[in-house]
Amino acid sequence: MRIALVEDNVSLAKGIAYQLRDAGHSVDILHNGDDADVFLKQESGDLVILDINLPGKSGLDLLADLREREDPRPVILLTARSETEDRVNGLDAGADDYLVKPFEMEELAARIRALGRRKGVAPRQLIDIGPLKLDAGALQLLDGSDALEFPRRELALLAALAQANGRTVSKAGLLDQLYGAGSETDEKVIEVYVSRLRKRLSPYGVNIQVHRGIGYSLGKAAP
């Protein structure tokens, strides 16, 4: 899932993002309501984790704006407030769930899984990659009916390149898609993933083309 995390406590945001990324999610971190407002209007995603008390625009105002423009993304509210009235106000504003700080990461992870199930099963979207087919939603690469055992991060990178339809994608763009905006992960990680993925794809006649100083695109392997 691509998750927008809006939390003004920098250390808490980093801790949550680390755990979620370790579970395979992409996380975009925002630390104030005004930046989050711009981001949520411009960027798509699967879920928003939203603190109520933010500098700038409040979490409840952000939530109200999301629902007013009919943005369907599930929202989990985070707050230090524990009063029933605050929970009711958040849920009435359109939140899907609510967690009071402090909380255990296992509980947040379980609620994210529950909201993911609530979205239902999306129809398969198969992308042809040479003789292979990529199920971008499930992150599965198929050789006929057999699923190839590729690491999920590498499959996520392959999906980002495949969905670019031949266009070149920059390292920064790939990093954002794999880890989310605000990640401190070095762009060199992308070079490592590309190198490993090229070796795995080579037997199938598929190549990742390197455009030095620009980025990468998906193409055929040299004969």
Side-chain angles (χ1 to χ4, degrees), residues 35-212:
D35 289 344
D37 187 36
V38 173
F39 180 87
L40 293 172
K41 286 176 179 175
Q42 296 177 345
E43 299 290 336
S44 60
D46 301 299
L47 178 77
V48 181
I49 300 174
L50 181 60
D51 187 23
I52 286 182
N53 295 312
L54 294 168
K57 205 163 193 174
S58 76
L60 289 179
D61 286 340
L62 286 172
L63 176 57
D65 288 347
L66 273 173
R67 296 309 181 227
E68 185 176 337
R69 59 179 179 266
E70 299 183 351
D71 190 317
R73 277 177 281 189
V75 174
I76 298 175
L77 286 179
L78 303 181
T79 182
R81 302 172 180 173
S82 59
E83 290 83 358
T84 300
E85 184 178 351
D86 292 320
R87 293 197 189 107
V88 171
N89 289 339
L91 294 171
D92 283 348
D96 297 87
D97 209 341
Y98 196 109
L99 271 177
V100 177
K101 301 174 188 174
F103 55 85
E104 297 293 333
M105 272 303 303
E106 289 82 359
E107 183 177 3
L108 176 59
R111 295 184 184 219
I112 290 172
R113 290 194 296 271
L115 288 173
R117 289 193 298 269
R118 196 182 299 176
K119 292 173 65 178
V121 179
R124 257 190 170 188
Q125 297 179 347
L126 298 179
I127 302 172
D128 290 324
I129 301 178
L132 307 175
K133 291 187 182 295
L134 175 70
D135 184 342
L139 279 187
Q140 281 191 325
L141 189 59
L142 305 171
D143 181 11
S145 59
D146 297 325
L148 301 177
E149 295 295 327
F150 281 31
R152 288 185 66 80
R153 291 286 187 199
E154 293 177 25
L155 289 176
L157 188 148
L158 181 60
L161 292 174
Q163 290 168 337
N165 294 318
R167 297 188 304 275
T168 301
V169 186
S170 68
K171 285 183 189 177
L174 290 170
L175 195 67
D176 281 352
Q177 291 193 56
L178 265 65
Y179 290 93
S183 167
E184 296 180 357
T185 306
D186 195 285
E187 288 185 5
K188 290 182 180 178
V189 167
I190 299 299
E191 297 176 12
V192 174
Y193 286 152
V194 168
S195 176
R196 292 175 179 172
L197 195 51
R198 293 178 84 189
K199 290 177 182 177
R200 296 185 201 276
L201 292 172
S202 180
Y204 302 97
V206 178
N207 184 39
I208 297 175
Q209 297 175 339
V210 180
H211 306 276
R212 296 196 179 279

